[in-house]
Structure formats: C-alpha cells, structure tokens
C-alpha cells in the first residue's frame, strides 16, 4: 500500500503550464491537510517557480523529467518517450508505490494510453472509463462515465462502468447507495440499442452492489439531480459532456448580453447580482474539475488543460479523497461480490 500522503503532479502539463500548476498545488496544500507532493518536470524551472510558494517546498519533492508530452502529440509517440516525460514519470511513480495517485493537465489521449500500459487493468475490468463530476440541481454532483475513453461499448463494458461509477460516487460524493441510470434515447424498456437493453437487464439482476439501478435516463434530464451516476459509451458521453459545457457557456454569455443591453438591464443586473454570482459559481468547471480513469490498478486524475489554480486544486483534492477512501479496493470488492452472486 503506497503512502497515501504523496500525490505525483505533472507540473509541466496544462495550457498555462508550470505557474498555474504550482499555484494549484499550493492551494491544495492549504485546503487539504497532510498532503505531500512529488512535483514532476524540469527541476530548474520548478525550483524557480517554487520561489513564489515558499511554504510548498516543505511539503514537496522534485522529480526531474527532461521532456514534456505535447498537447497534440499522438499517444503512440508519447508512449515511446514515457520514461523521459513529466506525464510518464508521474504515472510510473504510482506504479512504483512512491505516490498514491497522479494528476496531470496534459494530453488526455497520451495520459490514458500511458496509464493503461503502465498500471494495467484491475482484474475483472475489460476497459478503463473516464469519469467526471457534473453539476446538477440536486444536493450533489452527478458522476458520468464513459466520457471518451471508449467510443464503442458492449453490455459487459456498460455493466462494469456502472459498478465502478457507483463505487466512485460512494467514495467521492459520500453517497451510500447511488442511483444509477443508463443514458438512452428514451425511458421505456424497449428503447435503445441491444447493448443498452442487455446492460439494463444485467444491472437489474445485480443485487450484490450498493447501488440502485433506475433504468434509463434521457439527455434532457441529466442536470435534474434525479440520478447520481449516468453510464454510457464514450462516444455518447463525450458529446453529452461537450453539449452541456457549451450550453452553460451559452447561457452565461446570453445573460451578459442581456444585462448590457440597456441602462435598465444594468440596474437589473445589480439587483440580481447575488443570484447570478451563485449561478456562475455552480456552473464553474473549476469547482468540478478532475476526471478519473476508472478501472486501472492505480489512481490517475485528468485535470482540464484550461483549469485555473482553483481547478487544479480541486482535481488534486479529488485524487486525495479517492486515495483516502480506498477507491481501488472498493471497486475490486464490488466486482468480487458480483462474480460470487453470478
């Protein structure tokens, strides 16, 4: 069992690079007690960057990496350079047991390929799934997976995703008995592909896991807070996620335009400012940042490339919570319970 206090951070990833990553790590250290960091990247640059965060030096170590994975680099190319890149070395630190989790804001495809090759899959899992937390009208976020790791999935894959997503919801959101649903084009039993209907039948016959299967959910109900985990193939999930993100930006931009349209509208904005600030905070992706590759024999978290320091801190905190609540063991235990009940 690795030391749960150490998190490996790819300090060179992300759109804004080292400065934002170090600021995010420093913020996470203040928010989550007991965390320590292995900062992976160019040693000289990291030492220079740490001058802006003197207190962070006492809680971190630098692991030198001479190269960085490019944002548009193909996964096959990145894998060949894994032992020299900050991303590859951060993942390898998890494999070695020196870190309990790795966090990177870099190239998603390369991160997935490297993590899968280095850490391997958990027994009983065929494919990894990218899971993220999305805001809803409910009391907690919603977990959605897969968001792009697998464009096509069969019923077995979807059932495995449901089991992993439920374990993640219990671990990260503190929901003891998550409500799980399959994303579909209708809520009726006869709707959807053969794979989705077969997965639903298998999930209805899976009583050995702490989750409540709620059948199908349509895209227009995702944000209502009616379920805690939404399961789909990566093709549909990625489209749904990007549509939701685009809609949130559309609403925000539309409100800005409306409030600037006249003097009366500007006065209305001043009156409604507390409500609009609450809306902006609820929809801010930095408050929900940190997707995780479920199904691997280790924890790897993908922070959004454009995340602010607050978003990076959120992703790191999410990784720490998964480590402290032993997510990997929970998934393995649930899979074992399902196999015994089969």
């Amino acid at each position: 069992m690795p030391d749960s206090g150490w998190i490996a951070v790819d300090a060179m990833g992300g759109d804004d690079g080292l400065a934002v990553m170090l600021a995010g790590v420093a913020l996470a250290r203040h928010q989550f007690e007991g965390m320590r960091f292995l900062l992976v990247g160019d040693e000289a640059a990291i030492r220079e960057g740490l001058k802006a965060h003197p207190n962070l030096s006492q809680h971190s170590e630098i692991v030198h990496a001479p190269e960085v994975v490019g944002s548009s680099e193909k996964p096959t190319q990145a894998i060949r350079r894994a032992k020299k890149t900050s991303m590859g070395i951060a993942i390898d630190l998890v494999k070695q047991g020196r870190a309990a989790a790795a966090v990177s804001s870099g190239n998603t495809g390369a991160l997935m390929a490297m993590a899968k090759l280095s850490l391997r899959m958990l027994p009983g899992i065929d494919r990894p799934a990218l899971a993220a937390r999305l805001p809803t009208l409910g009391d907690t976020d919603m977990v959605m997976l897969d968001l792009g790791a697998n464009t096509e999935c069969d019923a077995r894959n979807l059932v495995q995703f449901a089991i992993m997503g439920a374990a993640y919801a219990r671990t990260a959101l503190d929901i003891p008995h998550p409500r799980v649903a399959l994303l579909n084009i209708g809520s009726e039993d006869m709707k959807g592909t053969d794979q989705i209907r077969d997965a639903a039948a298998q999930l209805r016959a899976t009583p050995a896991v702490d989750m409540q299967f709620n059948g199908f959910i349509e895209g227009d109900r995702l944000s209502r807070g009616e379920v805690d985990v939404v399961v789909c193939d990566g093709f549909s999930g990625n489209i749904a996620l990007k549509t939701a993100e685009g809609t949130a930006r559309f609403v925000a931009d539309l409100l800005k335009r409306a409030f600037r349209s006249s003097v009366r509208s500007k006065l209305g904005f001043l009156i409604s400012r507390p409500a609009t600030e609450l809306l902006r905070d609820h929809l801010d992706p930095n408050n929900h940042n940190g997707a995780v590759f479920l199904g691997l024999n280790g924890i790897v978290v993908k922070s959004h490339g454009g995340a602010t320091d607050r978003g990076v801190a959120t992703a790191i905190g999410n990784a720490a919570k998964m480590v402290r609540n032993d997510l990997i063991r929970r998934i393995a235990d649930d899979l074992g319970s399902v196999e015994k009940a089969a």
Side-chain angles (χ1 to χ4, degrees), residues 99-181:
V103 178
S104 175
S105 295
N107 183 318
T108 304
L111 185 66
M112 175 76 265
M114 286 185 186
K116 185 177 179 181
L117 182 64
S118 179
L119 300 177
R120 304 296 181 181
M121 305 301 301
L122 283 171
I125 296 294
D126 299 327
R127 297 181 181 181
L130 184 61
R133 296 163 51 173
L134 280 67
T136 72
L137 292 175
D139 295 331
T140 63
D141 287 348
M142 172 192 73
V143 175
M144 190 169 182
L145 71 165
D146 176 33
L147 296 178
N150 308 278
T151 55
E152 296 182 2
C153 299
D154 59 22
R156 177 181 169 87
N157 299 143
L158 295 175
V159 171
Q160 292 174 359
F161 294 171
I163 294 170
M164 294 191 296
Y168 179 49
R170 295 197 303 273
T171 301
L173 302 179
D174 300 317
I175 302 173
H177 202 65
R179 300 163 296 172
V180 179

Side-chain angles (χ1 to χ4, degrees), residues 72-298:
S72 59
E73 189 170 344
K74 294 182 179 179
T76 51
Q77 295 175 331
I79 287 174
R80 288 195 289 269
R81 300 193 301 116
K83 293 183 179 180
K84 296 182 179 180
T85 63
S86 56
M87 180 185 291
I89 292 173
I91 295 170
D92 191 58
L93 289 170
V94 177
K95 180 181 179 180
Q96 295 175 28
R98 290 182 60 190
V103 178
S104 175
S105 295
N107 183 318
T108 304
L111 185 66
M112 175 76 265
M114 286 185 186
K116 185 177 179 181
L117 182 64
S118 179
L119 300 177
R120 304 296 181 181
M121 305 301 301
L122 283 171
I125 296 294
D126 299 327
R127 297 181 181 181
L130 184 61
R133 296 163 51 173
L134 280 67
T136 72
L137 292 175
D139 295 331
T140 63
D141 287 348
M142 172 192 73
V143 175
M144 190 169 182
L145 71 165
D146 176 33
L147 296 178
N150 308 278
T151 55
E152 296 182 2
C153 299
D154 59 22
R156 177 181 169 87
N157 299 143
L158 295 175
V159 171
Q160 292 174 359
F161 294 171
I163 294 170
M164 294 191 296
Y168 179 49
R170 295 197 303 273
T171 301
L173 302 179
D174 300 317
I175 302 173
H177 202 65
R179 300 163 296 172
V180 179
L182 292 166
L183 182 63
N184 202 350
I185 58 173
S187 58
E188 299 85 357
D189 290 344
M190 73 288 296
K191 290 291 184 69
T193 63
D194 292 340
Q195 292 86 349
I196 292 175
R197 293 197 303 271
D198 289 347
Q202 293 180 41
L203 287 170
R204 291 190 182 98
T206 307
V209 178
D210 285 332
M211 68 179 183
Q212 173 186 324
F213 180 59
N214 282 17
F216 301 137
I217 187 170
E218 296 182 72
D220 63 338
R221 308 298 298 179
L222 292 178
S223 61
R224 305 304 297 177
E226 297 170 349
V227 297
D228 304 305
V229 180
V230 174
V231 178
C232 54
D233 62 76
F235 185 85
S236 303
N238 192 268
I239 291 176
L241 174 64
K242 296 297 175 58
T243 301
E245 291 175 341
T247 301
R249 288 193 294 268
F250 169 72
V251 171
D253 291 344
L254 199 61
L255 284 173
K256 289 179 183 178
R257 183 186 300 178
F259 283 131
R260 293 171 180 170
S261 62
S262 67
V263 174
R264 180 180 295 179
S265 296
K266 291 178 181 178
L267 291 173
F269 169 72
L270 293 175
I271 296 172
S272 62
R273 188 168 184 173
T276 56
E277 290 292 334
L278 182 64
L279 174 65
R280 185 176 68 176
D281 185 68
H282 189 65
L283 295 178
D284 187 349
N286 289 294
N287 294 329
H288 315 276
N289 188 41
V292 57
F293 292 111
L294 296 178
L296 299 175
N297 192 25

Side-chain angles (χ1 to χ4, degrees), residues 163 167 170 208-210 329-339:
I163 294 170
R170 295 197 303 273
V209 178
D210 285 332
R329 180 190 59 78
R330 290 192 181 202
I331 292 175
D333 288 349
D334 286 350
L335 289 169
S337 298
V338 171
E339 290 178 359

